[in-house]
Amino acid sequence: MKRKLIIALMLWICFILQTTVFSTFRFLSATPNLMMILTVSIGFMQGRTEGLLTGFACGLLYDICYGGLFGFYALLYMLCGYFCGRFSKIYFDEDIKVPLLLTGGCDAFFNLVVYFSRFLLRGRLHFAGYLKAVMVPDVVATLLLTIILYRLFYRINHSLTEKEKKGRQSLWIRE
């Protein structure tokens, strides 16, 4: 229960930072996708179910505040969280390469799906402009922030896991 409350608090903080601070001070003319970093990190560290649920919560929060088609972003974030959760079996403690690769891939996938569903279907066919102006800066900004935030999420996850292990070693609690 404590883990779920902390993940909900991290989700809320990431959403507030993404929609207020980072949207005001654009880095590389893009807003880093903190919700994607959180979804990928939780999915990678905790597995498919946690990644799926975190992605659903992130997407639902984004849908409530900004989405036109309700559930669209929830589905995208869920797919990313589930996909990254499949890599939890190769989870190494402090290795940042796999989370960077997963975050970059998921953010690129997210931006491609948004382009195809929001722009291409409306007749805006200038993909090179979208790629240069939106997609590449967004992925780069998200990757740069992943380097910092993944370490923070890793430490939070590690401390929660250690507390859960200590609780299981009690003489009174049997599995």
Side-chain angles (χ1 to χ4, degrees):
M1 185 66 174
K2 185 176 183 180
R3 177 180 295 278
K4 290 180 177 138
L5 288 174
I6 290 176
I7 290 174
L9 180 66
M10 289 189 315
L11 185 142
W12 186 250
I13 290 170
C14 285
F15 180 74
I16 295 296
L17 286 175
Q18 181 176 335
T19 56
T20 57
V21 175
F22 288 111
S23 65
T24 305
F25 302 112
R26 292 184 161 260
F27 179 70
L28 295 173
S29 73
T31 302
N33 196 342
L34 300 179
M35 307 285 268
M36 184 63 71
I37 297 170
L38 179 66
T39 301
V40 168
S41 298
I42 297 298
F44 182 62
M45 289 186 276
Q46 292 296 315
R48 292 179 286 191
T49 305
E50 290 291 325
L52 183 107
L53 292 174
T54 304
F56 177 73
C58 288
L60 193 63
L61 189 58
Y62 200 83
D63 274 332
I64 289 170
C65 294
Y66 295 108
L69 179 63
F70 191 73
F72 175 73
Y73 291 107
L75 178 65
L76 284 178
Y77 279 105
M78 278 175 52
L79 288 173
C80 291
Y82 183 80
F83 175 74
C84 293
R86 302 205 34 103
F87 289 89
S88 67
K89 293 187 184 354
I90 61 167
Y91 170 66
F92 298 113
D93 283 347
E94 294 187 15
D95 187 24
I96 190 97
K97 291 178 281 227
V98 176
L100 275 174
L101 183 66
L102 288 173
T103 303
C106 285
D107 201 32
F109 167 75
F110 179 82
N111 283 315
L112 279 174
V113 171
V114 168
Y115 170 76
F116 284 119
S117 63
R118 302 286 179 176
F119 297 107
L120 186 65
L121 294 177
R122 292 184 182 164
R124 299 179 189 162
L125 302 174
H126 192 59
F127 180 71
Y130 179 80
L131 184 71
K132 188 172 83 174
V134 176
M135 194 169 161
V136 171
D138 183 52
V139 171
V140 169
T142 302
L143 285 176
L144 289 175
L145 207 56
T146 300
I147 295 170
I148 299 166
L149 286 180
Y150 179 75
R151 301 275 187 212
L152 175 68
F153 294 153
Y154 165 75
R155 287 192 179 133
I156 292 170
N157 180 58
H158 187 67
S159 68
L160 288 172
T161 304
E162 289 300 317
K163 289 179 185 176
E164 288 172 355
K165 284 181 183 177
K166 284 182 184 177
R168 288 188 196 131
Q169 292 175 356
S170 172
L171 293 174
W172 302 104
I173 299 175
R174 305 244 185 226
E175 291 187 24

